[in-house]
Amino acid sequence: MKRKAGSFIVLALVAVIAGCSSKGDVKEGDVAIEDRGTEADGGAVASGAAGTTDYAGYSLNDPNSPLSRRVIYFEYDSAEISDMDQELLVTHAGYLVANPGTHITLEGNTDERGSREYNIALGDRRALSVQRILELNGVSPDQITIVSYGEEKPAAEGHSDAAWRLNRRVELVY
Amino acid sequence: MTRIVKLLLLLCVLIATPVRAALTIEITQGIEGAIPIAVVPLGWRGKSPAAPENIAAIITADLNRSGRFEALPDRDLVSHPTSAEQVKFQNWRMLNVDNLVIGQLDETGDGQYTVRFELFDVFRGKRLAGSSFPTSARDLRRVAHHISDIIYETLTGERGAFNTQIAYVTSNGIGKNKTYTLLVADSDGYNPQTILTSKQPLMSPSWSADARQIAYVSFENKTAEIYIQDVATGSRRKLASFKGINGAPSWSPDGRQLALTLSRDGNPEIYVMNIGNGELRRLTNSPSIDTEPVWTPDGKSIVFTSDRGGSAQIYRIPARGGQAQRLTFEGNYNAGADISPDGRKLAMVHGQGGGYQIAVQDLQSGQLRVLTDGQLDESPSFSPNGSMIIYATGAGNREVLSAVSVDGRFRQRLSLQAGNVREPVWSPFGK
């Protein structure tokens, strides 16, 4: 029970941080926030989290910082990360290395095509790809949690190529 | 801390809340050669002017829904006999019905009833079956389904599957207002009962062999966990909560083991868990995706999805461990398999360039047949008598349930009034 309470506080932090940084975010950022910590509102712990920010001039809650980009997109049935996204992940890794007390959850997602449990596995594979790059750049495995939602939490509703493209993603949730 | 307790309480409250929305069934593709039958409204003797349940209508819908029968519309019934001596066979012969069902519903006491029915062969003028069942108001529909089962088995030689249930998942709302619900309903979609509601995804229900428990995946703690829940009482137990994926539970035929997918050792692999003591046995060991295990009815093998060959395909592995053998070769995507109760057929999600349909493969001949024509069909599940497959499909912007006969000739749609319905699993006959 004690451990549960601990992880709950982390979730509460995440929700508060997300709340701070959401306004004026890019579209995918807004959608991501909808998925987060609906039950969490632990305002009391917010200031502690917001204090641990700056890395090389980047702040976690600055909408203009590259760290505000927290969604990596994928091709169909693929877990490959583009060069541009690799660069972005290096920036995130830098932040996480500079702030070893910060924790990140990588949420793997897929589009709706194919069977649901296979998509859970595919979302997991995508999250693992992101994890690998973060770890190769010095992030401690203890800072990272992976969860795959498969096709269960679409960022975009709908059954078009456009919706599917937005749904094949890994969300970086601080 | 108190918040967690509150959430748990809320979850408890949400378990076992009945819902009002019933599934409605619409036959979308009929077949030729259905057996013509007449089901006469049952006679009624009771305190109120009208019977509490229209037994004949339930039986008619059951028989029509099987695709094997075509019931005479009510308006074409020439007379309304309720006992054998009132039946004039020559009248029914003229209507070209092969078989006739009649009966009587009597109120015998406070909320107690007796249902009597008789089935006749019209051309031979012979009584084929008949029975009388004492029952409560609550079980009247169940008795009607039981009568449908008797009629079906008498006339087709196959066991009926009307007195069974389906479990399925619904989602309503979007984004953070999404609610996921796990429900159990009668096989005709009536009497839907919520057994779990959550703000986080619910997935992959699997019935125990005695149809009394359901295993499923819940993300209620923001991570995938496997629970088993008693359907009648709602009491449940967390079975698997390892690091990473805890997915795709499948109950063994003997009820003692659960096949499941875990990624605790790095990537998704198939395991078998002893439900009694939690002991785990790992079955697969490959760097690829291995998931969606299902038991063959003899309990000797497990069929699963793997992309070890480059794309998702179906494989079989001995349940005690050993070499995996590839079963599917047609199409670039085959996943989410179910095995027919006789162990002879494999149903799966089949992708061949143009979307995803439900296909059935004969395990002996290897012959594959695509049964459906949707774009996003998934989650096939055999009826316990092997005659139908229920599955999830898209209809406009919604997910609905459909059922198709195993020969692909007969199809019907089951739709909720609102929201998305998916992951149907047909219950076993139970005990």
Side-chain angles (χ1 to χ4, degrees):
Chain A
M1 218 46 193
K2 215 172 183 182
R3 251 186 85 205
K4 253 191 188 164
S7 63
F8 186 78
I9 288 165
V10 172
L11 279 172
L13 281 169
V14 165
V16 170
I17 295 165
C20 296
S21 64
S22 68
K23 307 289 177 267
D25 246 357
V26 286
K27 185 172 176 249
E28 48 268 32
D30 282 336
V31 174
I33 283 147
E34 287 191 352
D35 286 342
R36 270 175 225 149
T38 51
E39 294 92 350
D41 64 358
V45 282
S47 57
T52 62
T53 37
D54 288 317
Y55 160 70
Y58 296 142
S59 157
L60 206 52
N61 52 10
D62 171 5
N64 298 314
S65 145
L67 294 177
S68 70
R69 279 189 55 215
R70 294 175 197 171
V71 187
I72 310 290
Y73 293 99
F74 294 84
E75 294 298 311
Y76 172 68
D77 206 9
S78 164
E80 238 171 84
I81 295 168
S82 71
D83 291 347
M84 226 177 77
D85 282 337
Q86 297 217 15
E87 268 175 47
L88 174 64
L89 288 174
V90 170
T91 308
H92 279 281
Y95 177 82
L96 287 162
V97 169
N99 298 277
T102 303
H103 189 268
I104 192 167
T105 300
L106 307 176
E107 297 183 352
N109 296 273
T110 68
D111 68 33
E112 62 181 338
R113 292 175 288 174
S115 71
R116 287 178 179 269
E117 284 283 357
Y118 183 82
N119 282 338
I120 290 285
L122 186 56
D124 185 69
R125 184 184 271 173
R126 284 173 180 159
L128 284 172
S129 288
V130 173
Q131 180 183 35
R132 206 164 297 129
I133 291 175
L134 294 179
E135 289 183 10
L136 282 172
N137 287 281
V139 180
S140 159
D142 296 341
Q143 284 174 273
I144 306 172
T145 301
I146 277 187
V147 58
S148 173
Y149 288 113
E151 62 178 282
E152 309 303 320
K153 287 193 162 190
E157 303 286 337
H159 312 280
S160 61
D161 280 325
W164 292 336
R165 200 174 311 120
L166 289 173
N167 291 336
R168 294 189 297 267
R169 72 202 194 278
V170 170
E171 296 187 9
L172 284 62
V173 183
Y174 279 94
Chain B
M1 197 61 190
T2 50
R3 193 166 181 89
I4 291 167
V5 174
K6 267 188 214 159
L7 281 172
L8 287 174
L9 281 174
L10 180 65
L11 200 63
C12 294
V13 172
L14 290 173
I15 292 173
T17 318
V19 289
R20 253 163 284 144
L23 286 164
T24 53
I25 290 157
E26 169 196 340
I27 291 164
T28 50
Q29 179 188 315
I31 58 166
E32 308 219 339
I35 302 170
I37 190 167
V39 184
V40 178
L42 272 60
W44 160 244
R45 275 188 295 258
K47 273 180 277 176
S48 57
E53 200 74 73
N54 189 340
I55 305 283
I58 298 167
I59 296 169
T60 299
D62 279 348
L63 296 174
N64 280 339
R65 202 155 34 83
S66 74
R68 304 284 296 270
F69 294 89
E70 193 180 351
L72 200 67
D74 265 3
R75 61 174 184 275
D76 294 342
L77 297 171
V78 284
S79 59
H80 292 77
T82 56
S83 63
E85 53 272 23
Q86 295 170 359
V87 175
K88 294 192 168 60
F89 288 109
Q90 66 274 21
N91 292 346
W92 298 100
R93 282 182 204 125
M94 272 161 55
L95 289 168
N96 278 324
V97 293
D98 293 0
N99 298 282
L100 173 69
V101 178
I102 62 165
Q104 177 74 32
L105 173 59
D106 288 333
E107 190 171 7
T108 53
D110 195 21
Q112 294 298 307
Y113 301 88
T114 300
V115 186
R116 179 179 56 74
F117 89 99
E118 290 179 274
L119 168 67
F120 297 97
D121 178 323
V122 166
F123 284 89
R124 287 187 291 161
K126 199 182 145 203
R127 185 178 182 273
L128 300 176
S131 241
S132 182
F133 305 97
T135 179
S136 63
R138 193 171 151 262
D139 283 332
L140 277 170
R141 290 195 72 89
R142 187 161 299 174
V143 168
H145 292 314
H146 182 59
I147 293 170
S148 300
D149 280 340
I150 295 170
I151 295 166
Y152 184 89
E153 184 163 356
T154 304
L155 297 178
T156 70
E158 264 176 40
R159 190 167 173 184
F162 302 114
N163 210 359
T164 55
Q165 293 183 299
I166 46 172
Y168 53 96
V169 175
T170 65
S171 80
N172 285 282
I174 56 167
K176 67 178 173 189
N177 296 319
K178 207 171 237 182
T179 304
Y180 301 83
T181 309
L182 176 59
L183 298 103
V184 170
D186 295 349
S187 73
D188 61 355
Y190 276 81
N191 195 24
Q193 306 212 39
T194 296
I195 66 165
L196 186 70
T197 298
S198 175
K199 296 298 261 182
Q200 298 297 328
L202 301 172
M203 285 179 72
S204 306
S206 167
W207 288 92
S208 63
D210 63 7
R212 287 183 180 158
Q213 288 176 281
I214 291 177
Y216 56 84
V217 176
S218 172
F219 284 80
E220 64 199 60
N221 294 316
K222 300 278 179 91
T223 182
E225 297 172 316
I226 295 174
Y227 292 80
I228 55 177
Q229 181 166 330
D230 188 283
V231 175
T233 68
S235 75
R236 61 180 198 151
R237 174 157 81 92
K238 195 189 289 182
L239 215 59
S241 182
F242 298 97
K243 185 170 164 269
I245 296 173
N246 295 268
S250 172
W251 226 295
S252 68
D254 70 7
R256 291 201 285 261
Q257 304 169 87
L258 201 73
L260 69 168
T261 303
L262 301 174
S263 66
R264 61 172 201 170
D265 296 327
N267 78 310
E269 304 284 1
I270 311 289
Y271 291 75
V272 171
M273 179 185 271
N274 178 320
I275 294 172
N277 62 18
E279 223 170 74
L280 280 173
R281 204 154 42 79
R282 181 166 161 175
L283 271 192
T284 59
N285 191 353
S286 81
S288 56
I289 289 172
D290 295 317
T291 188
E292 301 176 331
V294 272
W295 298 78
T296 55
D298 62 9
K300 288 181 181 159
S301 306
I302 285 171
V303 162
F304 64 100
T305 308
S306 177
D307 72 342
R308 60 186 65 192
S311 70
Q313 295 292 341
I314 311 290
Y315 292 76
R316 178 169 52 200
I317 194 166
R320 298 190 163 279
Q323 207 63 32
Q325 180 201 356
R326 184 167 164 177
L327 297 178
T328 54
F329 296 91
E330 234 175 282
N332 47 28
Y333 185 99
N334 290 297
D338 191 30
I339 300 177
S340 64
D342 64 6
R344 289 182 186 164
K345 294 187 194 84
L346 193 68
M348 70 199 97
V349 180
H350 174 74
Q352 175 93 283
Y356 297 80
Q357 290 87 34
I358 305 302
V360 161
Q361 182 170 324
D362 185 301
L363 281 172
Q364 203 133 54
S365 69
Q367 204 180 359
L368 181 134
R369 196 176 152 170
V370 179
L371 299 184
T372 66
D373 57 7
Q375 283 300 299
L376 293 165
D377 297 343
E378 61 180 23
S379 307
S381 171
F382 280 98
S383 63
N385 65 356
S387 69
M388 302 286 290
I389 294 169
I390 193 166
Y391 64 99
T393 185
N397 249 341
R398 292 173 51 212
E399 299 163 67
V400 300
L401 305 186
S402 273
V404 62
S405 61
V406 170
D407 61 12
R409 292 166 70 197
F410 178 74
R411 210 184 298 150
Q412 59 185 294
R413 180 182 298 162
L414 300 81
S415 51
L416 269 174
Q417 276 125 8
N420 294 308
V421 195
R422 59 210 189 204
E423 295 201 86
V425 264
W426 213 310
S427 79
F429 285 120
K431 280 166 188 153

